[in-house]
Structures are given as C-alpha cells and as structure tokens.
Amino acid sequence: MSIDVLSALALFALITSITPGPNNLMLMASGANFGFARTVPHMLGITLGFMVMLLLVGFGLIRVFDAFPIIYTVLKLLSLIYLIYLAYKIATAAPVQTADPNAKPLSFLQAAGFQWVNPKAWAFGLSVITIYVPSAGILPLVITALVVAVMALPSVTLWTLLGGQMARVLTNPRRLRVFNVTMAALLVASLLPALWPAS
C-alpha cells in the first residue's frame, strides 16, 4: 500500500469518523452525563469493535450476508430495537448528582457490539474495504483496519470532550433533561435514513 493510498485512507477515515452519527452522539451524551474517564471503555469499544468488524467482514463474512439476505433484515430490526433502547436510556438519564447509583455508561462490549447493528458502521466499513483493499491479502486488510482505528481515536476523544464541556452548561436538571431528550431524538434520526433509505 503506497503512501498516497495510506494518506487518502487516513483522511477518508478521519472525515467519516468525525462527522455526526450514532456513535458520536452517544459519546457526546455519555461525556455530558458521566464525564470523560467513565466514557473511556465506550470509546475503546467503538474503536476496537469497529476494527474487529472490519477485519471479519474483510476476511469473508460479507459472503455469508450475501448468501443469506435475510440477515440484513434481521440486522435492521435489531438496530431499531437497540437504538430505541439506547435513546430511552439517554433521554431518561438523571443528573450525576441525583442519578441512580447503578446507572453507568455503555461498557466496552456493549459499544463494540453496537457496531454490528449500526448501519453507518456497515456503510463505512464496506466502503473502506471496497475502495482501499484492492486485493484479498491479509496484510492490506490489517493495515487498513489499523489506520481506520487510529484515525477514529481523535473523533471519539473530541466528541466525548465536547460532551464533558456541555456538562458545564447543563448545571440544572431541566437543561440536562432537554439536552438528553434532544440527543436521544438525534440518535434515532441519525439512523433512520440508513435503515430505510428513500427509494
């Protein structure tokens, strides 16, 4: 893989990962509600979970999906159910000072698992494999997955920090509730076009 291709891949990965989407909106909400440190497992789950997904799809899992198209329908249904659950959790999150002591941000495994039902992650992953992995070799795929993971780190960090900064403004329960409900609505809205694109 040439330096030019690597540079183009890095730029594509950075731009795609930093634009608003389900992962970034959830990180922003988590940063506002739980702070940066407690959101780190969520951040790592997105980054490493997507890298694993990219590797598995590149190694041939996509052929299984093509052979059994019903899997796409099942993924859409799971996406919608999980999305509604996450949106509900965000919308009803209480201020940290008065929150349920059992409340916690998304775990590493939950965030990693979400990549498999995240249509934006699928669209991004398939685009990366199609455009930047010209051969079926293992090395180009591994390099591509590593570059994408490295370029995702600034994005997940930025969105979580932005959420943490928002927490300074959200100093009363009413403002926090408005923020959380808005983030939940944006989360749902961000996935609907990918789940049911206009014909």
Side-chain angles (χ1 to χ4, degrees):
M1 194 175 283
S2 69
I3 295 297
D4 288 344
V5 172
L6 278 175
S7 300
L9 169 61
L11 182 60
F12 177 71
L14 179 63
I15 291 171
T16 305
S17 63
I18 210 164
T19 54
N23 283 324
N24 292 334
L25 293 173
M26 287 192 296
L27 286 172
M28 186 176 180
S30 184
N33 285 282
F34 299 106
F36 185 88
R38 292 185 67 193
T39 304
V40 168
H42 185 170
M43 295 163 58
L44 294 177
I46 289 172
T47 304
L48 298 179
F50 182 72
M51 184 175 75
V52 169
M53 178 183 144
L54 196 62
L55 288 169
L56 291 177
V57 170
F59 284 142
L61 187 60
I62 195 63
R63 293 190 188 109
V64 175
F65 286 81
D66 288 339
F68 301 98
I70 188 68
I71 295 176
Y72 287 112
T73 304
V74 172
L75 275 175
K76 283 187 176 184
L77 181 61
L78 290 175
S79 296
L80 184 61
I81 292 169
Y82 194 50
L83 172 69
I84 291 170
Y85 167 75
L86 290 174
Y88 169 78
K89 295 292 283 183
I90 291 171
T92 59
V96 174
Q97 296 83 357
T98 61
D100 178 350
N102 296 320
K104 52 189 173 183
L106 230 56
S107 70
F108 174 88
L109 289 178
Q110 288 172 323
F114 178 68
Q115 305 319 301
W116 290 92
V117 294
N118 180 354
K120 183 183 176 185
W122 275 100
F124 177 35
L126 293 175
S127 297
V128 165
I129 289 171
T130 303
I131 298 168
Y132 294 101
V133 185
S135 70
I138 293 176
L139 187 58
L141 180 60
V142 170
I143 291 172
T144 298
L146 286 172
V147 169
V148 168
V150 168
M151 298 315 294
L153 289 174
S155 170
V156 297
T157 302
L158 177 67
W159 281 90
T160 306
L161 287 172
L162 184 58
Q165 291 302 310
M166 289 293 296
R168 296 182 179 184
V169 178
L170 308 172
T171 53
N172 69 55
R174 185 172 181 274
R175 278 190 287 214
L176 182 61
R177 177 54 53 87
V178 169
F179 172 79
N180 285 339
V181 169
T182 301
M183 296 306 292
L186 287 172
L187 176 59
V188 173
S190 72
L191 275 187
L192 290 180
L195 287 170
W196 287 281
S199 54

